[in-house]
């Protein structure tokens, strides 16, 4: 029995010692994990906030300054060539682009048996997004333009500047519809490519 008691206490001692090592090892692993996590979060925050890009930003500013100095020296050397470059840049920046709306607009003239059939083209100084917006909201724009056209009377049609006034009204209503749906109009002018009264 004594040997059994000694064996039992030896087993208890053996069981107790690994239990003491496991909590220390577990605490050490948790502490290292927390440290790695904190370092990862800190590094990620610095990276995404642009902390490490400050050197490249300063280098970019230096490069811009160098290019400005070169441009100034080139301008002093040949003033005629710089004026040509500016004119070319302005010409491409404000290029007029046109779009003809595919379907005709047809409506009755108020208090008359006559009808008006027109084809409309629009012009813009902006990029193709204006035309994309016109195509995207074509049904709403068509409805608004037809409402403007149907308000015309025979007395209005008899005026010499009727087409100019109608084009101005159509432009306004097109821009209103684009502002309503896209927060940007962009139609600079409206032209009638076909205008028939019957």
């Amino acid at each position: 029995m004594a040997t059994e008691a000694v064996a039992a206490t030896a087993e208890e001692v053996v069981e107790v010692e690994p239990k003491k090592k496991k909590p220390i090892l577990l605490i050490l692993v948790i502490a290292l994990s927390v440290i790695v996590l904190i370092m990862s979060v800190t590094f990620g925050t610095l990276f995404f906030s642009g902390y490490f890009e400050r050197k490249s930003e300063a280098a970019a500013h230096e490069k811009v300054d160098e290019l400005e100095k070169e441009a100034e020296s080139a301008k002093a050397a040949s003033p005629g060539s710089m004026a040509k470059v500016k004119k070319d840049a302005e010409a491409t920046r404000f290029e007029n682009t046109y779009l003809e709306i595919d379907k005709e607009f047809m409506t009755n003239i108020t208090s008359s048996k006559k009808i008006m059939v027109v084809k409309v083209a629009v012009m813009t100084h902006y990029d193709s997004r204006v035309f994309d917006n016109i195509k995207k909201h074509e049904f709403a724009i068509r409805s608004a333009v037809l409402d403007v056209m149907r308000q015309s009377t025979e007395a209005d049609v008899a005026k010499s500047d009727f087409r100019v006034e109608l084009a101005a009204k159509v432009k306004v209503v097109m821009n209103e519809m684009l502002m309503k749906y896209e927060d940007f109009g962009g139609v600079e002018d409206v032209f009638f490519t076909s205008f028939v009264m019957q």
Side-chain angles (χ1 to χ4, degrees):
M1 281 224 189
T3 53
E4 289 177 10
V6 172
T9 56
E11 286 178 15
E12 289 177 12
V13 172
V14 171
E15 288 178 10
V16 172
E17 286 180 14
K19 286 184 181 176
K20 288 182 182 177
K21 287 185 180 179
K22 283 187 180 179
I24 293 173
L25 183 61
L26 183 63
I27 291 171
L28 185 61
V29 168
I30 290 173
L32 286 175
S33 298
V34 168
I35 290 171
V36 168
L37 179 66
I38 290 172
M39 289 178 66
S40 298
V41 168
T42 304
F43 179 76
T45 302
L46 290 174
F47 179 76
F48 288 114
S49 69
Y51 178 78
F52 299 110
E53 295 178 5
R54 293 188 195 277
K55 293 179 183 175
S56 61
E57 187 176 319
H61 285 296
E62 290 176 6
K63 185 68 175 174
V64 168
D65 291 339
E66 289 177 21
L67 291 173
E68 286 176 352
K69 288 178 184 177
E70 289 177 12
E72 288 176 10
S73 64
K75 183 178 178 181
S78 59
S81 64
M82 287 302 288
K84 184 178 180 181
V85 170
K86 285 183 182 178
K87 286 181 183 177
D88 290 344
E90 289 176 4
T92 57
R93 187 179 329 152
F94 297 112
E95 183 177 330
N96 297 334
T97 52
Y98 300 87
L99 170 74
E100 183 175 34
I101 298 176
D102 295 330
K103 295 182 182 178
E104 297 175 331
F105 293 87
M106 180 172 39
T107 186
N108 294 334
I109 295 176
T110 303
S111 302
S112 175
K113 293 182 180 181
K114 293 184 179 181
I115 61 169
M116 181 176 9
V117 181
V118 298
K119 281 197 69 109
V120 175
V122 295
M123 184 268 293
T124 185
H125 296 301
Y126 300 99
D127 59 4
S128 63
R129 286 182 288 180
V130 175
F131 298 148
D132 294 340
N133 292 340
I134 289 172
K135 290 175 185 174
K136 180 178 177 182
H137 302 290
E138 182 177 359
F139 295 115
I141 290 171
R142 287 186 68 77
S143 176
V145 169
L146 287 171
D147 283 344
V148 167
M149 288 174 56
R150 75 171 177 80
Q151 293 173 5
S152 302
T153 62
E154 283 199 49
D156 293 334
V157 172
K159 294 179 185 176
S160 61
D161 58 347
F162 169 70
R163 289 175 60 167
V164 174
E165 289 176 4
L166 183 61
K169 290 177 185 177
V170 169
K171 173 185 144 184
V172 168
V173 77
M174 282 184 161
N175 281 325
E176 285 175 355
M177 296 307 289
L178 291 173
M179 285 295 293
K180 179 178 179 181
Y181 294 113
E182 295 293 333
D183 295 328
F184 178 71
V187 175
E188 298 293 327
D189 213 345
V190 172
F191 302 99
F192 296 115
T193 57
S194 171
F195 197 100
V196 177
M197 299 280 294
Q198 295 178 341

